Amino acid sequence: MGTAAVRRTTYSEYLALEAETGRKHEFDSGVVTMMGGGSPDHALLAMTFGRLLGNALAGGPCRPYSSDLKVWNADLDQAVYPDVTVICGPVVPAVHDRLAVVNPSLVAEVLSHSTRGRDALVKAPAYRAMPSVQEVLLIDSEAVFVQHFRRGEDGKWVLTETSDLHAWLELHAGGARLSVAELYAGTGLLAEREAAD
């Protein structure tokens, strides 16, 4: 007995679905996934990272955007909503979707139990394949842990990982320097760490 073929959604149908429902969905070569909510720590980390970036980048050519900004990856036929996106210079919209951008410089995902696999194993490599992307950050919402991928001058990716609250995230985008302790401030994870010390 054969396997039933999976019906692929066209991009036009995907856009119509978003317009009709008013909900965010991600598109991956015809497969559509509705975006769900996150834990309080997930939401706080995304907001704090965006705020810290906004403060650090103020007055420069780079600007942070929330998870409402859609990123289009033409090579992979993929439209996704990173938790935080930084664009340096003018915004370049996708030709077929004026609400999606094609030129992020930095993208960050806050990892949660339900999204960890997709964010780390599918979306992060896809971001690194985009020519404009210079940095990808994966911020864990279940442990104090940040992975920072940075594209080197030779085009190869360098990974820095930290679980040290005294560490700083040295970002290429706008020369921003962010404190890991400030990033995790107010989360249950920081409270647990402080109680253990």
Side-chain angles (χ1 to χ4, degrees):
M1 193 150 83
T3 314
V6 176
R7 183 187 178 280
R8 300 286 175 173
T9 302
T10 68
Y11 202 81
S12 295
E13 291 170 332
Y14 159 71
L15 291 178
L17 174 67
E18 286 206 312
E20 179 184 334
T21 63
R23 300 284 306 265
K24 294 186 295 186
H25 298 76
E26 294 191 328
F27 179 92
D28 193 352
S29 297
V31 176
V32 175
T33 306
M34 187 172 75
M35 302 293 293
S39 70
D41 279 349
H42 181 285
L44 179 59
L45 283 164
M47 180 64 76
T48 301
F49 185 66
R51 177 179 53 79
L52 292 173
L53 266 177
N55 292 341
L57 299 175
C62 300
R63 293 165 312 285
Y65 295 84
S66 74
S67 62
D68 286 334
L69 184 67
K70 188 190 312 180
V71 171
W72 169 249
N73 185 332
D75 290 340
L76 296 179
D77 190 29
Q78 186 182 75
V80 295
Y81 290 92
D83 286 315
V84 177
T85 302
V86 172
I87 296 176
C88 297
V91 170
V92 180
V95 173
H96 68 307
D97 183 352
R98 305 306 286 175
L99 296 180
V101 300
V102 298
N103 65 322
S105 298
L106 176 152
V107 286
E109 293 286 358
V110 178
L111 305 181
S112 63
H113 181 72
S114 61
T115 66
R116 179 180 306 278
R118 178 166 162 74
D119 286 347
L121 302 176
V122 177
K123 293 172 75 174
Y127 295 142
R128 293 196 301 269
M130 295 182 72
S132 67
V133 174
Q134 300 301 307
E135 294 171 278
V136 177
L137 283 98
L138 300 178
I139 301 166
D140 205 316
S141 71
E142 298 178 310
V144 176
F145 186 59
V146 180
Q147 293 178 294
H148 178 200
F149 298 85
R150 180 187 295 185
R151 191 190 304 265
E153 291 182 11
D154 59 359
K156 294 181 181 175
W157 288 89
V158 177
L159 170 61
T160 304
E161 300 177 323
T162 188
S163 58
D164 183 358
L165 285 170
H166 299 99
W168 291 81
L169 302 175
E170 308 281 352
L171 305 181
H172 178 75
R177 188 171 188 260
L178 309 182
S179 161
V180 173
E182 282 188 69
L183 174 61
Y184 280 91
T187 66
L189 297 170
L190 194 56
E192 289 171 14
R193 184 78 74 91
E194 289 170 346
D197 289 344

